[in-house]
Amino acid sequence: MKKALIAGITGQDGSYLAELLLEKGYEVHGLIRRSTNRQTNIDHVRGKLHLHYGDMCDETSLHRIIDIAEPDEFYNLAAQSHVRLSFDNPVYTVDVAALGALRALELVRKLRPDCRFYQASTSEIFGDSPPPQTEATPPCPASPYGIAKLAAHHAVRVYREGYGMFACSGILFNHESPRRGEEFVTRKITRAAADIVAGKQDVLWLGNLEAKRDWGYAKEYVEAMWLMLQQDRPDDYLVATGTTHSVRDFLEFVFEKAGLDIAKHVKHRDSLERPNEIHALRGDPSKAREKLGWSAKTSFEELAGIMFEHDMKLVAG
């Protein structure tokens, strides 16, 4: 039985990955912080998991957990991943996302040199580089979050090339699901639409509606993570749908489905905009399709519908 350790197991991606690995017969260990308030994502599989309290900012706890878990695969999905908030908390964001990855890489190198390492990279490393972005697109991050993730991305390459570690970065473009945190714009929209329909809310405040993103379904994207660690040789892969939609597109689709008037219920707030906006992200997933046999299956409209229907049921109780 293979053993996997997931840092960030209570998050959207971590919970879907835990389900996938359990289905494949893994013994699944997860790193969780005592301060985390979002563990509902793993409630349905909690009895099948080995959970360990720790923190990516605390090398001692990481050392202890790796010693106990003895992982064959380490998936580092832990981060302060809200881009807008990274401007308010830049040092913490870098500590968790950049130095946290470096701590994990160094400990895996010393304690479990044969362990395969996955790093959650992001399209945010590209900044406003013109689309479509590929694995070869020059990085130009536009936020503290992007800076932190780029540092971790390079650390993986250095440890792979310098120490011969099986270490991979998955450059994942925006991926959503009903498990997405409500502070993120897609889930904020679907939850607000459900609340407005139910009469529990009247106004939805949003920032920039014209930002364009490549949105996919998180449940599918975790399969690409796993596939990267099953290859003969380690490499980095871009994971995306290859299509782009704006925040406005997402808003219009959900509100039309809900039978709501955007002009009546949606208002703009400057403070919700990023100080440095990325205007358009669209990934070219050709390498993942050719080398991993992976491609996105759920359309933009299907994804938005899944999220809205989930929140309608959630609000209805």
Side-chain angles (χ1 to χ4, degrees):
M1 180 184 289
K2 281 187 178 180
K3 298 180 181 180
L5 173 58
I6 304 173
I9 195 169
T10 61
Q12 168 187 256
D13 294 6
S15 62
Y16 281 125
L17 179 61
E19 288 177 352
L20 177 69
L21 295 179
L22 287 170
E23 289 171 5
K24 293 184 178 296
Y26 280 67
E27 178 179 303
V28 180
H29 294 254
L31 184 156
I32 58 174
R33 290 178 299 135
R34 287 193 181 275
S35 59
T36 190
N37 59 4
R38 188 185 299 148
Q39 297 189 27
T40 54
N41 286 337
I42 59 170
D43 278 347
H44 62 297
V45 292
R46 183 180 294 273
K48 301 177 181 179
L49 302 172
H50 302 266
L51 300 176
H52 310 274
Y53 286 107
D55 197 303
M56 296 300 290
C57 299
D58 177 17
E59 186 172 339
T60 302
S61 67
L62 282 177
H63 190 297
R64 172 179 51 80
I65 293 167
I66 292 171
D67 258 346
I68 294 170
E70 298 182 325
D72 300 298
E73 298 174 1
F74 187 116
Y75 294 88
N76 182 28
L77 313 183
Q80 188 301 101
S81 58
H82 194 286
V83 178
R84 176 63 190 83
L85 291 181
S86 76
F87 285 97
D88 298 328
N89 296 284
V91 176
Y92 174 72
T93 299
V94 170
D95 195 6
V96 176
L99 296 180
L102 191 59
R103 292 182 189 104
L105 280 164
E106 183 65 4
L107 287 170
V108 167
R109 181 181 76 84
K110 291 177 178 178
L111 303 175
R112 299 287 295 176
D114 294 327
C115 176
R116 298 189 169 197
F117 188 95
Y118 173 83
Q119 170 62 28
S121 194
T122 170
S123 56
E124 291 288 331
I125 67 174
F126 296 127
D128 251 346
S129 298
Q133 292 88 13
T134 72
E135 290 86 352
T137 298
C140 186
S143 67
Y145 173 71
I147 292 168
K149 282 294 193 176
L150 180 58
H153 184 85
H154 282 316
V156 167
R157 175 183 55 79
V158 169
Y159 273 67
R160 181 172 63 227
E161 296 173 355
Y163 296 114
M165 288 178 63
F166 196 108
C168 307
S169 286
I171 310 170
L172 271 60
F173 279 58
N174 292 66
H175 46 291
E176 317 296 315
S177 77
R179 299 181 190 176
R180 191 61 145 150
E182 292 180 20
E183 68 272 23
F184 292 89
V185 68
T186 50
R187 184 75 196 290
K188 185 177 180 180
I189 290 170
T190 58
R191 180 57 192 266
D195 280 339
I196 292 169
V197 169
K200 297 181 178 181
Q201 181 175 335
D202 187 51
V203 175
L204 168 61
W205 295 91
L206 293 173
N208 180 18
L209 298 184
E210 308 312 320
K212 296 179 179 179
R213 296 292 184 267
D214 185 328
W215 274 304
Y217 189 15
K219 188 174 183 179
E220 297 172 356
Y221 280 38
V222 298
E223 183 180 2
M225 300 177 187
W226 176 77
L227 285 168
M228 289 179 209
L229 297 195
Q230 313 314 308
Q231 303 306 301
D232 292 333
R233 295 182 178 181
D235 204 351
D236 302 329
Y237 297 88
L238 186 152
V239 180
T241 69
T243 60
T244 296
H245 295 86
S246 68
V247 176
R248 185 181 297 278
D249 291 337
F250 193 93
L251 174 67
E252 289 177 347
F253 179 85
V254 171
F255 269 54
E256 181 178 354
K257 194 172 181 67
L260 297 173
D261 183 355
I262 290 175
K264 180 180 178 182
H265 295 288
V266 178
K267 295 185 179 180
H268 177 266
R269 179 171 284 162
D270 288 339
S271 63
L272 296 175
E273 295 198 14
R274 301 181 188 180
N276 194 12
E277 181 62 85
I278 295 175
H279 297 95
L281 291 169
R282 175 166 57 88
D284 179 354
S286 298
K287 182 177 176 181
R289 184 170 58 248
E290 294 165 6
K291 301 291 186 181
L292 303 179
W294 181 93
S295 60
K297 300 176 180 65
T298 303
S299 71
F300 171 79
E301 292 80 10
E302 288 170 335
L303 174 59
I306 289 169
M307 294 175 67
F308 174 64
E309 292 301 330
H310 169 272
D311 282 333
M312 285 292 288
K313 292 178 183 176
L314 190 66
V315 169

